[in-house]
Structure formats: C-alpha cells, structure tokens
C-alpha cells in the first residue's frame, strides 16, 4: 500500500493486495485512482467493515480456505517451523 503512489495512473494493473485487512479509506482512494484490471486480496482475517471498503473498489467473491486444504491443494507450501533457543538476560 505504501508504494501505490509510484504506480502510473495510465497502465492496467493486476494487483495482489497482501494483508488486505489493512485497507483504509485513504488507501482505497489511492487504489481507485489507478487503472486496475484485476485484484486478488489476501488476508487471514477479513472484518465486515474492511469487506465493505474493498467492495467499493470492485465486487469481490470470497473463498475462505483452511490452511490444511490450501496445503493439500498446493496453494501454499507445507510450513516449516524452526525453533530457536535463546538465553536472554
């Protein structure tokens, strides 16, 4: 979102909005100023108010998917957890 001002208002964009729940009225205004062809919005949490903001940009379809299903379908890789031990004094 912080780099939206760098995008040209002339080009057609396919955008991926990561952490889409971080949308605000100001960010929405910047997005509306762009020539956007397609948008994919990613988030683990999508409050109703944030959905309403995104729907002002475009009509969104919501496809919630559980992590286990996303891994099984190859949408995301199997996560690896690294335990790091530290003795902070």
């Amino acid at each position: 979102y912080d780099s939206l001002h760098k995008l040209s208002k002339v080009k057609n964009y396919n955008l991926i909005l990561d952490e889409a729940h971080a949308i605000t009225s100001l960010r929405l205004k910047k997005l509306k100023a762009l020539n956007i062809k397609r948008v994919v919005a990613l988030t683990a949490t999508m409050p109703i108010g944030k959905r309403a903001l995104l729907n002002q940009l475009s009509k969104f379809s919501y496809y919630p998917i559980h992590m286990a299903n996303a891994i099984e379908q190859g949408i995301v890789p199997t996560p690896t957890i690294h335990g790091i031990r530290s003795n902070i004094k």
Side-chain angles (χ1 to χ4, degrees):
Y1 294 109
D2 291 336
S3 299
L4 288 174
H5 66 279
K6 296 178 184 177
L7 299 177
S8 167
K9 293 181 172 88
V10 178
K11 296 181 180 178
N12 286 327
Y13 288 101
N14 294 318
L15 291 181
I16 297 174
L17 302 177
D18 195 15
E19 304 294 338
H21 58 270
I23 190 77
T24 63
S25 295
L26 179 59
R27 289 175 174 167
L28 178 66
K29 183 178 179 181
K30 290 179 182 179
L31 286 167
K32 284 182 171 182
L34 298 173
N35 190 4
I36 300 173
K37 192 162 64 171
R38 291 185 190 98
V39 178
V40 174
L42 306 173
T43 184
T45 58
M46 183 55 78
I48 297 296
K50 299 297 183 161
R51 280 188 189 189
L53 279 175
L54 282 174
N55 279 325
Q56 291 178 36
L57 180 62
S58 177
K59 174 64 178 145
F60 277 86
S61 297
Y62 296 91
Y63 300 100
I65 185 168
H66 292 282
M67 181 60 84
N69 293 343
I71 292 168
E72 184 179 297
Q73 294 176 28
I75 297 170
V76 296
T78 302
T80 302
I81 299 173
H82 299 274
I84 300 171
R85 186 175 186 154
S86 176
N87 294 321
I88 300 174
K89 297 179 182 183

